[in-house]
Every structure is written in C-alpha cells, then in structure tokens.
C-alpha cells in the first residue's frame, strides 16, 4: 500500500449528492489541505426523483449509472479522488422513501444485514485507517431508510474495526444548529422573490437540526463555497442550485450552508468549540 497522508477522513453516505449537500465544503477543505478524504456511498440512488424533464426517463440501474457519473463529477469539483461504493458497484440498492414497496426489495440497503454491510466498510477502514469518521445520526437526519441504514453500518463498522485493529479516534454526526437554520430561513424569506423557486422549505425539512449546544465542531468552508456549489450542481438530476440556496425534487428552496457543523459522538473533544475535525488527534501513527 502506498503511504497515506497523516490526516485521514472517512465519510459514509447513503446516496450520491448527500456528501456534497452535507459535507461538500469540509471535503474540499481537507482535500485541498492535503488530508486523505475517503467517501463511501452505500447506494447509487436508483430511486431518486429526477428534476430535469429531459432526464426523467432515467430510472433504476440507468439512473444509478447516471448518478455515478454525477458523483464522479462532484468529486472532481471537491478534489476528492478516493470515493467508493459500499461492497462494490451494485452491491446495495436504493430503498426509496420510507414505506414504499422498494423497502422490501432484497437487494435494497434497507434489507441488508447490517453486520455484513459493516464488514465491507471495515475493509475500507483497515485500508485507510481514518482518524475521523463522519456519518448521520440514528434517524439518518430525516428518516430515510438508506440514511438510517448508512448510520447503522458506519457505527457498527467502527465497532468491528476496533477488534480488527483500528479504533477510529473521532466519530461525528452531521448537524445544523437550530439558530443558524432559523436565521438562514429568515433570510430566504426575504430573498425568495428573486429566486427561481416558488416556495421555501422550513427548518423542519433540514436534516440533522439540533439545539445549538449539541454542536461541538464548526468547519468554516467559506473559501470552498464555490467548490461546494459546483459539486451540488454536478448532481443535476437531484439538485437545483441558485445563489446561496438550493432545492431538491420537491422544489422547496433551502439554504446552502458553506459553514458545516458536527456533533462529536465518540472520542475526545479537542477544544470547547472545535474548528478542525482532527483537533486533539495524535497524528503520524502508522499509515
Ligand atoms: Zn440521500
């Protein structure tokens, strides 16, 4: 194995686009600073709703293949070279929104055995030896089956990796502080008439919103705002971006956050409010 940089960050996401929406600025920042950034995406989002009318004929595996192309383009924008699909391409399929028949498809991520899927992730963990893992909270941020399952797989893999010889020093969940979300939506109300979106989402539509005191870590991605927006634009079947806002297929405008927020759930906090996911981590361990 070629030697990896001292700082190694692993992110686990459900579908192509989740990484850019949640962590695009963080990924671009650490990649630009020379850290090794690894993205593991669990499914290709084969059941995502397609926004552009001219691409709405894409469904199932065709949509998955198209979204892999979007993910590849997004990673180019963020400067991330190491991105993988959990268990290899096509191993786990999108389960669709909670309650639909696709949830019961044996190929879906929702039906996957968590330990099996976690073992596929442990292989990546042992190869990359990340000091930081980023994923969703137990609700997957907003209750989507694949996001819930991605959380379970990531947390279980971190556990199994300890027995296999690598304890990930710090684990974070994606968050948005409530006051930041509220202020951003207040601004959105003012800006909405000038945007190509007719309606706004609400704070409750934003995944991972929690009371401010639960935020342990603030990553200022201002310098990477353009990279994040470009990565989101690359996911053209899923996201419409306009200025500091974007919409998913529901066409409800929401703020595009270029400062990204995290809650440390495992490991030692490096500062009262961390501005670095690696804060307090001893670097230079065998890689
Ligand atoms: Zn998703």
């Amino acid at each position: 194995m070629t030697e990896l940089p001292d700082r190694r960050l692993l992110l686990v996401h459900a579908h192509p686009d989740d990484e850019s929406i949640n962590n695009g600025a963080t990924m671009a920042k650490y990649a630009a600073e020379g850290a090794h950034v690894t993205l593991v995406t669990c499914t290709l989002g084969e059941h995502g709703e397609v926004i552009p009318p001219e691409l709405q004929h894409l469904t199932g595996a065709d949509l998955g293949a198209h979204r892999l192309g979007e993910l590849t383009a997004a990673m180019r924008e963020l400067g991330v070279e190491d991105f993988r699909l959990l268990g290899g391409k096509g191993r786990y399929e999108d389960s669709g929104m909670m309650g639909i028949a696709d949830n019961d498809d044996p190929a879906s991520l929702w039906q996957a055995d968590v330990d099996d899927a976690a073992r596929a992730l442990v292989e990546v963990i042992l190869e990359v030896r990340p000091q930081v893992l980023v994923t969703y909270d137990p609700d997957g941020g907003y209750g989507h089956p694949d996001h819930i399952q991605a959380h379970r797989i990531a947390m279980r893999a971190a556990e199994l990796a300890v027995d296999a010889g690598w304890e990930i020093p710090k684990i974070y969940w994606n968050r948005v502080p409530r006051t930041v979300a509220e202020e951003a939506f207040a601004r959105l109300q003012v800006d909405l008439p000038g945007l190509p979106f007719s309606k706004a989402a609400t704070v409750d539509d934003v995944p991972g919103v929690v009371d401010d005191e639960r935020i342990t870590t603030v990553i200022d991605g201002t310098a990477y705002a353009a990279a994040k927006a470009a990565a989101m634009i690359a996911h053209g079947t899923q996201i419409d971006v306009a200025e500091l806002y974007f919409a998913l297929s529901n066409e409800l405008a929401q703020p595009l956050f270029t400062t990204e927020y995290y809650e440390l759930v495992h490991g030692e906090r490096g500062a009262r409010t961390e501005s670095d996911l690696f804060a307090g981590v001893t670097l230079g361990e065998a890689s």
Side-chain angles (χ1 to χ4, degrees):
M1 193 180 83
T2 54
E3 203 150 302
L4 293 170
D6 272 354
R7 296 188 299 167
R8 299 177 299 275
L9 165 64
L10 171 65
L11 304 101
V12 177
H13 276 291
H15 313 109
D17 78 352
D18 294 317
E19 79 297 326
S20 297
I21 297 169
N22 286 282
N23 313 110
T26 301
M27 293 171 75
K29 170 185 149 73
Y30 282 107
E33 291 176 357
H36 187 85
V37 178
T38 302
L39 168 68
V40 175
T41 305
C42 294
T43 82
L44 283 174
E46 294 90 343
H47 296 303
E49 276 180 54
V50 175
I51 297 172
E54 67 277 15
L55 292 175
Q56 284 172 356
H57 63 278
L58 293 171
T59 57
D62 292 341
L63 179 56
H66 186 90
R67 293 188 66 178
L68 180 55
E70 293 181 339
L71 181 63
T72 304
M75 291 306 98
R76 205 177 300 129
E77 300 293 353
L78 299 181
V80 171
E81 290 170 10
D82 184 7
F83 58 100
R84 312 157 183 229
L85 294 163
L86 182 66
K89 189 177 166 190
R91 177 70 181 84
Y92 298 107
E93 288 177 19
D94 190 339
S95 312
M97 292 293 185
M98 190 63 91
I100 71 168
D102 293 312
N103 297 173
D104 303 325
D105 186 330
S108 71
L109 187 68
W110 189 237
Q111 295 298 328
D113 180 88
V114 170
D115 275 12
D116 273 354
R119 277 190 285 270
L121 186 56
V122 169
E123 284 179 30
V124 179
I125 293 172
L126 295 181
E127 180 194 327
V128 175
R129 300 188 177 205
Q131 293 102 344
V132 175
L133 167 66
V134 170
T135 190
Y136 313 109
D137 68 14
D139 178 47
Y142 72 111
H144 189 298
D146 292 330
H147 287 237
I148 294 172
Q149 201 70 325
H151 159 86
R152 291 174 178 163
I153 291 163
M155 299 306 285
R156 180 66 178 140
E159 238 172 60
L160 294 174
V162 175
D163 300 331
W166 186 258
E167 179 172 0
I168 301 173
K170 300 179 91 177
I171 303 177
Y172 292 94
W173 293 343
N174 293 307
R175 292 300 190 198
V176 177
R178 189 171 306 282
T179 58
V180 168
E182 283 169 355
E183 282 166 25
F185 275 95
R187 261 195 317 276
L188 168 56
Q189 284 306 330
V190 176
D191 293 344
L192 191 61
L195 297 171
F197 310 114
S198 51
K199 277 192 193 157
T202 68
V203 171
D204 296 333
D205 296 314
V206 177
V209 172
V210 288
D211 292 340
D212 295 20
E213 48 271 28
R214 289 182 62 179
I215 307 297
T216 57
T217 313
V218 180
I219 301 297
D220 180 356
T222 312
Y224 303 95
K228 176 170 183 169
M232 289 174 65
I233 289 166
H235 291 289
T237 60
Q238 306 298 308
I239 312 176
D240 255 343
V241 178
E243 297 168 44
L244 301 170
Y245 303 97
F246 72 99
L248 302 172
S249 62
N250 60 15
E251 295 176 41
L252 300 175
Q254 50 178 305
L256 194 168
F257 295 109
T258 52
T259 295
E260 294 168 343
Y261 302 86
Y262 300 90
E263 179 180 4
L264 180 71
V265 295
H266 168 83
E268 234 161 281
R269 202 157 161 167
R272 173 142 167 63
T273 301
E274 297 178 339
S275 55
D276 174 12
L277 296 171
F278 294 89
V281 170
T282 310
L283 298 175
E285 292 158 272
S287 59

